[in-house]
Structures are given as C-alpha cells and as structure tokens.
Amino acid sequence: MAVKSAAKKKFNLVKSLHNQFTKEDLLAQYESMIQLRRFQEKVGSLYQQGYMGGFCHLYIGQEAVITGAKAASKEGDDFITTYRCHAHAAMSGISMEEILGELMGRSTGISKGKGGSMHMFDPDKHFWGGHGIVGGNVPLATGMAFAAKYREEDRVTLCFFGDGAADSGAMFESFNMAALWKLPVLYIIENNHFSMGTAKERHAAGEFYKRGEPFGIPGKKVDGMDFFAVYEAISEACEYIRAGNGPMLLEMDTYRYKGHSMSDPAKYRKREDVDGIKTKRDPIMQLGNVLMSNYKVKEEDLKALDKKAKEAVAKAVEIALDAPKADMAELYTDIIQSNGEK
Amino acid sequence: MNMIKQTYRDALRDGMSEEMRRDAEVFLMGEEVAEYQGAYKCSAGMLEEFGPKRVIDSPITELGFTGLGVGAAFMGMRPIIEYMSWSFALLSSDQIINSAAKTYYMSGGKVGCPIVFRGINGLGKMVAAQHSHDYTNMYANCPGLKVVCPVTPADAKGLIKSAVRDNAPVLVMENERLYGMEGDVPEGDDVLVEIGKARLVREGKDITLIGYSMSALQCEKAAEMLAKEGVDAEVIDLRSIRPLDKSAIVKSIQKTNRAIVVEEGYSFAGIAAEIMAVISEEAFDALDAPVERMSLKDIPIPYADHLEQASIVQADDIVKKAVQICK
C-alpha cells in the first residue's frame, strides 16, 4: 500500500502536464513504450530458445525512464548508458533489426556481431553505448560533456546508470570534476532497487538523489514509473544545465520486472513485490490510463497499438533471422583505427 | 637537418606544445600539469601559452580524469592525459583497457579513441615498491593499444607528436631518470618519429643487445665496454613495444646470430619473454647460441639506493653475459 500512495502522490504532482501533450504525441510515446516492452519480452524468449549467448539484461518495467528522457531532451543531446542498453539504443533510433542482429551475432548487427548485448553504439544518432563495467560509463559521460563545453556546443550529455553504479568511486570522481568545471551533464540514476541481486537497503548508505550534494550538484527523486514525472524532471534539468549551471542528478525510482540478467531467477525478492508494482505502478498501464481518461482514447485503440508493436517485433525478428552470420573477415578489423580513417 | 641540444623534458614539452598550436582539439590534462608546471616540469610554460581551458590541473583521481579523457576522445577530441606516475595510473587501468582499447572494436569501428596517456614508468629514484614498477608489458598485452618508450630527447619529441596525431590510444612510458638527459633534437614542427619502428643504436656483428627505455641505455653502455674487450655488439632500442618492429629484431639476429634481451621489468610474462618468442619463431635457424634475457630481480623494489641498484640489470652484468655467450 505504501507503494501505491507514493506513486499516487507523485502522479498528482505532474497532473498539470497531462493535458500539455497532443493526443498524437502521447500516443506515440505509448507506442514507443509498448514496443520496447514487447521487444524486450521477445528478446527474453529468443534468448531462452538459444538464439543468443552471453549476458542479456532486460529493461522491462523501466520503459518510462528512457521514453520520458528522449521526449524531454533535444535533438543533438548525447546518450550513454550501461550494459542494460537495448531500450536506450532503440530509442536513439537504432532499429530492432540491428539490435537483434547484434544479439544473434549476425552481419547486420549494429556492432557487426563484435559487441553483443552490452555494447551497441551509433554516434550519428548520438548514442554512445553500451558499457559493461559498473560505473565505467559515468566518467566517459563526463568527458563527453567536457568536449561539448570545450567546443561551446549546445548539447547535454544524458548519462544513465543503475543504483549499483551509484555506489562507485568512478561516479563520485566524475561528480567532483563535473561540478568543479560546470559540465553540461545530466546524471540519471535508474534506481531499480537492486544492485544485481543485492537490495538497495543492503548495498547503499544514504539516498541516491543526495549523492551529488557534497559537490553542490542539485538532485531530485522522481517517480520513474510515470512518464510525465520523468518528462517534467528531465525537461527542467536539461534547462538548468543548458543555462550553464553545471551538472544535475536525478534518481528515477523504477523497477525491473525480470532478473538482473537472463541467468538470474531473482530469488532475492518476493513475487508479490513484483506483482504489486506491475499492477499498481506499471509505466505503460499508467500512461494508458491517462490517455483513456484525459484524451478520450479507447481501450481498443491501445490494444491496436499493442498488436502493431507485436507485429513490428515479429517482422524485425524475421529479418534478423534471415541475415547471415557475422562475417569471419570482420574478426581482424576495427582493432586499431588507422591514421587514414576519420 | 638542423639540430638543437635539448633535455628530454623540454623536448617532450615542445612536442606537446607544437601539436597544441597545430590542433585546437588537443588539450593537456593531469596531475599538476598547469599551475605547478608539471610534477616533473614537463609542461613548464604551457599554462601561460595555452590558458586554463587547454592545460588543466586534474584532481588526483586517475580513474575519473582518465575516463573523462576517453569520453572526450570518443567525441573526436585529442586529449593528452598525464599521470604523475604509471603506478598511479593503475587506478585508471579500467578506463585504459576496457574503454580506450576496446570500444573501437566493440562498436564495429564506430567509436574511435584518439588519446595519449603519458607519464613516468619504471624505477631507479629510491621511491620504493609502490612507485617503482615497469607496466609496459601489462598494457602492451592488450590489443587496441599502442605502447611506446622513447629514450632519447629526439624520440621523446617525435613520438609524442606521432602519438597525438595517431587515431589509436597511445601510451607513452617515460622515466624520471631520462627527463634531465640532453641530446640532439631536430628542429621543425613536422619532424615525427614513426610508431612501430625500432632504433638501431649501434651497429655490430658479434651479438645483438636488445632493450627498451632505461635498459636500452644500459645496452648502449655495455656495447661501448664490450668494444674494449673485442666484442662488436649491435644495440637495438625497441622504442615501440606495440606495434613491435619484429623485422628489425630478426634482421639483426640474422647478422649477429646471438642476442641478449634486457629489461627493467619483471621477467615473468614480460617483454623479454615476448622478444625471445619472436626470435624463436622467426629467426631460430640463425641462432648460434640460446637467446638470453636479463630482467629486473623478481622482488618488490626496495628503497635503499644500493639495494635498488642491485635489483636492476647493470651494464657490467650485460658485458659479462655477452662475453660468455661470444666466447
């Protein structure tokens, strides 16, 4: 019940935003979220059928964070995240075929089959990975923001990482430099409440959104299951950063429905806890409710979008499966960038 | 070519400064590089010339500022990251190996990392075990990185310039004992030393002495002593460890038929072991005697001067070994 009332409170906070979107805009957000969900579910099932190997970290339950962030940021802002990167890649414009191709080691994979689930990149789309070491992407993001400031470019780096990385020295070292040099970076802690299998209460002292306080970095806790709350917080944060104030920190209170990775049955938490969040705070359900109550969207319309998403996913799987395996000739390419290449 | 006499540290500084004048995307960041003028004065005057935007004192947080440099390099900038010591840079090895070295491959060639990491490496200044270690083999082990060890002032300048212009991450392993040494440096802004080419220090026909960084100097000294004993030693300064100039090694062995590899690093899985493997694979038939290696003693490096010196291969030791082999 505590979860419900907290969610409700946050939800009310941003009610003012509910009517600021056009119906079409909001339906597009819903469509993105439902497609991310169906896509990730399919990835999970393909993994279990043996179509891919290695690690595979799903984003199911956390969709409002990346969707809201993408909607609130500007074209040209840079995104960088951790190994749980499929949704961030997709929302940056990398196609499901390219992501699936990568997961299945095909020549059509976004990294030619050399990166896999955790390492997808497309600088042309301002998506910078896809990094496998917990906390490792935080200094990288800080350097990207350093470059933007050095070049006097109007771009904000949005750096996503989990509550596990929020304990790391890499993060604190980054905060120190970003605040010292007023770098245009937005640190987004996606607090899904588990550092792999260790609950927040058991791995982290203090509050995540206060992690930047000693450095003078303003922080805010946001209902990461509510698209509107995410949108509002990231819009405001980006505005603050663009004004030259330096970094900001947002803690997105979210939840992952699946285990840390495919090999994790998540026995460290109760099924009722997961079910409670699914039925009361699910980000897609919440956005659907607003669409139905404020925008006169019918349940059938939402179901039609769901069907459309499933079809798009099925089509992408078909294309990915048709692609040839990653080319053996690529084994020895891209090791050292030669000096002729830009 | 016009030559000027310069110390290694000034040659390094001139190399960096010339590249910063040439390319506005180059910046220098590290511990004490700006106001302090460099912990070893390698960046003396650079803050004054380029200003605080491009010559930046970092906090002493190697992991953080290395990752920052790598992130900026992903965006196409050309950072020079200076460490007070490669011993401190161990804290940043995650960013060097996992981010700088591997991202180009992992991204299928989409994200490059044109960055230079540099600082003092090795030992010999009575600073005890935690500040005395040659990390060349550790980084040279990793595909995706280039690793160079300039010994002369001319190479320090030519290699730092090449490193800045290189599209790959390049590690420049310097040594505090080299900074004050003087040598002839060619004048001109575009005199580069190619990464991946060894330096033939001295020609000879009886035996090849192979070293890198300080050990190349020991080899040179030993060769002069050997000349008095009637042994004509050839000396190769590897200069670049990765890529390795295998052909220079093989060519020399084919001439001298004998070799000693000298290192100021530990022998286990070290650089000398790698060179010996190369000789065995590519020049075995040319050998008249087994290749020998002479390495740092297999101990944490002690503080006291005489103990520290006893852990390093000295020119005398090389002479004795070479005479034995050539007998």
Side-chain angles (χ1 to χ4, degrees):
Chain A
M1 286 315 277
V3 168
K4 190 183 174 187
S5 60
K8 196 118 200 157
K9 198 173 145 219
K10 290 280 179 191
F11 205 66
N12 287 338
L13 268 179
V14 291
K15 223 169 182 175
S16 59
L17 272 176
H18 288 186
N19 296 315
Q20 282 188 12
F21 290 85
T22 66
K23 181 175 154 184
E24 288 67 32
D25 280 350
L26 218 46
L27 277 170
Q29 299 303 333
Y30 185 89
E31 194 176 349
S32 293
M33 278 165 74
I34 193 78
Q35 185 160 306
L36 288 179
R37 174 74 53 95
R38 298 304 173 224
F39 179 51
Q40 293 283 283
E41 287 168 349
K42 190 69 189 174
V43 166
S45 97
L46 288 167
Y47 187 97
Q48 268 149 354
Q49 291 168 59
Y51 282 99
M52 52 194 88
F55 298 129
C56 180
H57 311 85
L58 300 178
Y59 195 69
I60 298 171
Q62 300 179 215
E63 294 91 346
V65 178
I66 187 60
T67 317
K70 207 69 206 175
S73 60
K74 269 197 193 169
E75 180 96 33
D77 287 344
D78 296 288
F79 283 63
I80 180 168
T81 188
T82 65
Y83 43 83
R84 198 179 302 284
C85 70
H86 306 171
H88 301 71
M91 287 305 293
S92 296
I94 298 173
S95 71
M96 289 190 287
E97 293 84 0
E98 289 170 302
I99 296 170
L100 284 165
E102 191 56 35
L103 294 170
M104 298 195 279
R106 306 293 165 132
S107 63
T108 49
I110 186 68
S111 304
K112 304 182 196 168
K114 299 199 272 198
S117 170
M118 301 180 282
H119 307 298
M120 302 181 186
F121 306 79
D122 196 338
D124 291 340
K125 298 184 167 78
H126 296 264
F127 181 62
W128 301 89
H131 297 272
I133 308 298
V134 171
N137 68 316
V138 189
L140 296 173
T142 309
M144 290 160 58
F146 177 91
K149 180 163 184 174
Y150 185 101
R151 292 165 163 172
E152 297 173 18
E153 290 175 337
D154 175 29
R155 54 207 274 194
V156 174
T157 300
L158 287 85
C159 173
F160 298 82
F161 52 99
D163 46 305
D167 299 333
S168 73
M171 183 199 74
F172 287 107
E173 292 185 15
S174 298
F175 282 5
N176 181 47
M177 294 184 295
L180 188 64
W181 299 326
K182 286 194 185 314
L183 303 180
V185 53
L186 174 55
Y187 298 110
I188 300 167
I189 299 173
E190 296 195 57
N191 175 11
N192 63 23
H193 294 264
F194 292 92
S195 169
M196 193 163 160
T198 306
K200 191 262 161 193
E201 296 70 32
R202 295 175 54 238
H203 75 77
E207 294 287 338
F208 295 122
Y209 72 96
K210 292 182 180 171
R211 288 283 202 248
E213 265 181 13
F215 309 95
I217 301 176
K220 196 173 157 187
K221 188 166 181 167
V222 181
D223 180 357
M225 304 298 268
D226 176 0
F227 169 82
F228 297 99
V230 173
Y231 177 86
E232 183 190 49
I234 294 188
S235 301
E236 284 175 5
C238 285
E239 200 177 313
Y240 169 88
I241 293 164
R242 265 183 235 287
N245 293 307
M248 222 188 122
L249 166 64
L250 296 174
E251 174 190 349
M252 296 292 168
D253 184 353
T254 183
Y255 206 78
R256 80 170 137 71
Y257 296 174
K258 299 286 180 184
H260 168 73
S261 66
M262 294 305 295
S263 60
D264 169 22
K267 287 189 173 155
Y268 42 80
R269 63 186 183 189
K270 294 195 194 88
R271 200 191 169 91
E272 303 91 83
D273 292 347
V274 184
D275 289 344
I277 304 238
K278 279 185 186 172
T279 52
K280 296 181 185 102
R281 291 181 66 205
D282 184 77
I284 300 175
M285 177 197 76
Q286 290 200 61
L287 183 56
N289 286 344
V290 173
L291 278 162
M292 289 191 287
S293 62
N294 295 28
Y295 290 84
K296 300 193 173 65
V297 172
K298 295 193 185 74
E299 202 172 354
E300 300 90 83
D301 300 332
L302 298 181
K303 281 189 177 152
L305 286 179
D306 191 0
K307 188 162 173 276
K308 194 177 156 197
K310 282 179 187 160
E311 284 165 3
V313 171
K315 179 81 188 152
V317 172
E318 208 176 291
I319 295 170
L321 284 171
D322 267 350
K325 280 185 177 177
D327 194 343
M328 279 301 285
E330 291 290 350
L331 191 60
Y332 287 109
T333 63
D334 308 323
I335 301 162
I336 287 274
Q337 187 174 15
S338 75
N339 291 326
E341 297 167 52
K342 181 72 184 145
Chain B
M1 203 175 286
N2 266 350
M3 294 283 185
I4 51 166
K5 271 257 182 288
Q6 247 189 335
T7 61
Y8 189 102
R9 79 159 49 79
D10 289 349
L12 257 182
R13 180 207 52 210
D14 285 0
M16 291 190 285
S17 297
E18 284 170 17
E19 292 311 297
M20 286 180 66
R21 278 174 217 130
R22 193 183 58 82
D23 183 351
E25 296 271 278
V26 182
F27 66 89
L28 173 65
M29 178 180 282
E31 291 147 342
E32 310 297 349
V33 297
E35 300 273 354
Y36 198 91
Q37 311 292 315
Y40 298 98
K41 308 293 178 230
C42 289
S43 52
M46 289 179 71
L47 173 65
E48 195 186 356
E49 177 174 357
F50 299 103
K53 185 183 169 186
R54 298 184 68 196
V55 180
I56 307 143
D57 281 325
S58 69
I60 306 180
T61 55
E62 289 82 5
L63 174 61
F65 72 77
T66 300
L68 184 150
V70 174
F74 283 175
M75 305 286 273
M77 297 201 69
R78 292 184 175 269
I80 303 172
I81 299 296
E82 175 174 326
Y83 303 112
M84 219 182 300
S85 160
W86 276 101
S87 290
F88 303 170
L90 273 186
L91 289 160
S92 67
S93 54
D94 168 52
Q95 290 294 350
I96 297 173
I97 292 173
N98 278 314
S99 300
K102 296 179 178 175
T103 302
Y104 189 59
Y105 191 82
M106 295 196 306
S107 66
K110 287 192 174 67
V111 180
C113 189
I115 191 168
V116 177
F117 305 107
R118 49 160 291 267
I120 63 162
N121 178 56
L123 61 150
K125 292 291 279 189
M126 296 179 68
V127 286
Q130 288 184 341
H131 289 69
S132 304
H133 199 130
D134 174 12
Y135 292 101
T136 313
N137 61 329
M138 172 177 139
Y139 291 105
N141 185 249
C142 180
L145 299 176
K146 293 185 179 180
V147 183
V148 298
C149 308
V151 177
T152 67
D155 283 350
K157 185 175 176 188
L159 282 171
I160 192 79
K161 285 167 73 73
S162 290
V164 171
R165 296 187 194 188
D166 205 288
N167 281 342
V170 182
L171 283 68
V172 184
M173 317 302 273
E174 299 156 16
N175 189 296
E176 193 188 344
R177 286 177 286 164
L178 291 171
Y179 284 151
M181 291 188 186
E182 272 196 343
D184 288 332
V185 179
E187 273 187 311
D189 282 6
D190 282 308
V191 185
L192 304 182
V193 171
E194 189 183 341
I195 294 172
K197 290 274 180 268
R199 179 173 64 101
L200 183 60
V201 179
R202 178 195 170 104
E203 287 195 71
K205 58 178 183 357
D206 295 334
I207 187 167
T208 305
L209 307 177
I210 303 169
Y212 66 95
S213 196
M214 296 308 292
S215 64
L217 291 181
Q218 299 285 19
C219 289
E220 194 177 356
K221 199 170 153 194
E224 284 159 18
M225 292 157 72
L226 281 165
K228 290 175 196 146
E229 310 234 359
V231 175
D232 185 15
E234 179 145 308
V235 177
I236 292 179
D237 165 18
L238 292 171
R239 195 155 64 170
S240 169
I241 303 298
R242 189 182 188 114
L244 184 67
D245 192 349
K246 290 184 187 182
S247 67
I249 300 167
V250 170
K251 203 175 139 196
S252 181
I253 303 299
Q254 280 165 347
K255 182 166 73 167
T256 64
N257 314 113
R258 292 173 177 83
I260 301 174
V261 192
V262 187
E263 60 189 345
E264 246 186 49
Y266 296 120
S267 60
F268 192 92
I271 301 292
E274 178 62 27
I275 305 304
M276 291 165 87
V278 167
I279 296 171
S280 178
E281 285 161 357
E282 303 196 12
F284 185 77
D285 291 341
L287 289 175
D288 284 346
V291 180
E292 301 267 359
R293 68 175 149 172
M294 303 181 76
S295 312
L296 190 62
K297 298 283 184 295
D298 203 18
I299 50 172
I301 299 309
Y303 158 74
D305 192 30
H306 64 290
L307 295 179
E308 181 179 42
Q309 288 304 315
S311 66
I312 299 173
V313 180
Q314 305 291 344
D316 286 341
D317 307 326
I318 303 171
V319 170
K320 272 183 218 146
K321 179 78 80 182
V323 169
Q324 254 174 29
I325 294 171
C326 292
K327 219 167 27 187

